[in-house]
Amino acid sequence: MLWNPLFVVSLIRLLAVPPVVSEEPTLHVEVSMAARGFMCPFLTPMFLGYLEDRGAHWVQHDPQASTVEFALPVDSLTGQHAITDRLVLIGYEARQVEFIRYDTLSTVPAQPAP
């Protein structure tokens, strides 16, 4: 049986999962911690919990790369300094924090594969 190409394209569009549109802008952030700071079994869970309390859509932690990537509503933070301040409050040093990504988006980005 031969498939009509227009039918196949239409079927793919119907089955494709549309991006999640948020009612407010979304922040997509990736933070790196020097000296493998995000491998810490005590401090890192406190930061991940903080992000979840802020209403993160998703949080991806990669301890080997010492990074945390997350997406959350933009109004839940007041900027990069809010993240840095929280990390310092938890016990990290501000000079260890590096922002790899800090983007404001109109859609919730897809969670990266683990």
Side-chain angles (χ1 to χ4, degrees):
M1 177 171 147
L2 294 175
W3 289 85
N4 180 338
L6 290 175
F7 174 75
V8 172
V9 170
S10 298
L11 183 62
I12 291 172
R13 286 184 181 160
L14 285 173
L15 296 176
V17 177
V20 177
V21 178
S22 61
E23 295 178 11
E24 54 196 25
T26 300
L27 207 56
H28 185 194
V29 180
E30 186 172 1
V31 182
S32 176
M33 187 65 64
R36 297 187 175 191
F38 282 137
M39 289 184 77
C40 179
F42 305 106
L43 301 180
T44 304
M46 287 192 275
F47 181 59
L48 301 177
Y50 167 76
L51 296 173
E52 291 172 1
D53 291 345
R54 288 293 198 189
H57 299 291
W58 52 263
V59 177
Q60 182 74 34
H61 172 225
D62 183 354
Q64 297 303 320
S66 192
T67 61
V68 174
E69 186 174 359
F70 55 93
L72 63 140
V74 77
D75 67 351
S76 64
L77 289 174
T78 56
Q80 289 182 3
H81 67 279
I83 297 169
T84 303
D85 290 348
R86 177 53 63 164
L87 288 165
V88 168
L89 184 65
I90 288 171
Y92 291 106
E93 294 181 29
R95 63 183 174 83
Q96 292 181 301
V97 179
E98 180 184 350
F99 289 90
I100 298 170
R101 175 191 316 251
Y102 194 91
D103 299 325
T104 303
L105 308 171
S106 60
T107 61
V108 177
Q111 183 173 1

